[in-house]
């Protein structure tokens, strides 16, 4: 339901390289990213360092807020602070009642 939402699919495909992993066929990845539950989303950089992680189902609007927060975290950890600020501000402005809004406001 969430992944098939048009806005979610567009955000994933525009800003990320989505990869679906079969846990039973990729035990090394499961161990590397300490996956204990699905759904499990990890945002990693080109060197496979985890920049953001979340486990559990989210409704489409919450998922979009989470993706924007992930973009902010990625930018922040990449020392692109102006980009990070813009991503966090978007979370706070577009999703003020999201559980990600306080984190966005903090950063």
């Amino acid at each position: 339901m969430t992944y098939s939402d048009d806005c979610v699919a567009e955000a994933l495909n525009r800003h990320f390289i989505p990869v679906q992993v079969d846990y039973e066929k990729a035990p090394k990845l499961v161990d590397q990213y300490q996956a204990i539950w699905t759904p499990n989303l990890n945002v990693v950089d080109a060197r496979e360092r985890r920049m953001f992680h979340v486990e559990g189902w989210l409704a489409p609007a919450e998922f979009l807020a989470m993706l924007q927060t992930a973009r902010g975290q990625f930018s922040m950890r990449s020392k692109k602070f102006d980009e990070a600020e813009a991503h966090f501000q978007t979370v706070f402005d577009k999703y003020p009642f999201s559980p990600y809004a306080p984190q966005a406001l903090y950063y």
Side-chain angles (χ1 to χ4, degrees):
M1 175 177 161
T2 298
Y3 294 117
S4 63
D5 179 89
D6 290 340
C7 293
V8 169
E10 194 272 330
L12 279 171
N13 290 314
R14 176 176 285 191
H15 302 293
F16 299 89
I17 301 171
V19 176
Q20 186 173 6
V21 175
D22 182 333
Y23 277 36
E24 293 178 5
K25 294 180 181 175
K28 288 183 182 178
L29 281 176
V30 170
D31 185 55
Q32 179 179 349
Y33 295 108
Q34 302 171 342
I36 58 171
W37 198 256
T38 61
N40 183 303
L41 183 125
N42 290 281
V43 176
V44 299
D45 68 5
R47 293 177 20 201
E48 297 183 19
R49 293 178 301 184
R50 183 164 50 187
M51 301 284 173
F52 185 82
H53 170 253
V54 66
E55 286 181 336
W57 180 86
L58 295 170
E62 296 303 321
F63 197 86
L64 289 167
M66 179 273 300
L67 287 177
Q68 193 70 25
T69 301
R71 292 180 69 201
Q73 288 285 338
F74 186 88
S75 294
M76 189 172 63
R77 293 173 189 272
S78 299
K79 300 190 183 337
K80 297 177 182 176
F81 301 114
D82 290 341
E83 284 182 24
E85 181 181 6
H87 293 307
F88 292 131
Q89 189 66 52
T90 298
V91 173
F92 190 73
D93 292 345
K94 286 182 77 172
Y95 311 100
F97 301 108
S98 164
Y100 294 96
Q103 178 182 2
L105 184 60
Y106 172 77
Y107 286 114

